[in-house]
Amino acid sequence: MNLIKKAVLTFFMAMSLGATNVAFAEDAKATEVIAHIEAAIAEIDKHDFNAAYIHEKAARVASEQITSNEAVAQKGYQSLIQAQIIGKRADAEKAIAELNKALGFYKSI
């Protein structure tokens, strides 16, 4: 029971910290991508790679619709693909590093 409480608390803390960063994105699709990436990072922290994969896939779909800065979006898209590949191997540290790299690209839009 205590583990569940900690997991829920960690998830809500990650989402609340992510909400402050999401507000600064100018492009609505970039905001959506950022939210999915942050959710994927939270899921990987809990070692739930299947849920993270779903968020990464949703981020890729939203990323394809970004038109304001396609070059940066393409770099972020490639980082998302790499994060998915690394996530399949269940390497949490490298997957989070790659997602943070993608996050940096999308926050710059």
Side-chain angles (χ1 to χ4, degrees):
M1 186 68 170
N2 208 9
L3 182 63
I4 294 171
K5 287 180 184 178
K6 288 181 182 178
V8 170
L9 179 63
T10 303
F11 178 76
F12 283 119
M13 286 176 53
M15 293 305 292
S16 66
L17 291 174
T20 58
N21 294 331
V22 171
F24 296 114
E26 294 179 9
D27 193 344
K29 286 298 173 181
T31 303
E32 183 179 344
V33 172
I34 290 168
H36 281 297
I37 292 172
E38 290 174 341
I41 291 171
E43 294 297 334
I44 291 173
D45 278 338
K46 296 186 290 186
H47 295 288
D48 188 357
F49 290 95
N50 290 328
Y53 182 82
I54 293 169
H55 283 292
E56 291 164 348
K57 188 173 180 180
R60 284 179 55 191
V61 169
S63 176
E64 291 173 345
Q65 300 171 358
I66 294 176
T67 58
S68 62
N69 195 343
E70 292 180 18
V72 174
Q74 185 62 29
K75 290 178 183 177
Y77 187 84
Q78 292 301 320
S79 290
L80 283 172
I81 291 172
Q82 287 299 324
Q84 283 181 309
I85 292 169
I86 294 167
K88 290 284 186 181
R89 293 181 289 202
D91 188 347
E93 186 177 313
K94 288 182 182 177
I96 289 174
E98 197 65 37
L99 285 172
N100 282 329
K101 182 177 170 184
L103 196 58
F105 286 124
Y106 289 109
K107 284 184 178 181
S108 70
I109 294 178

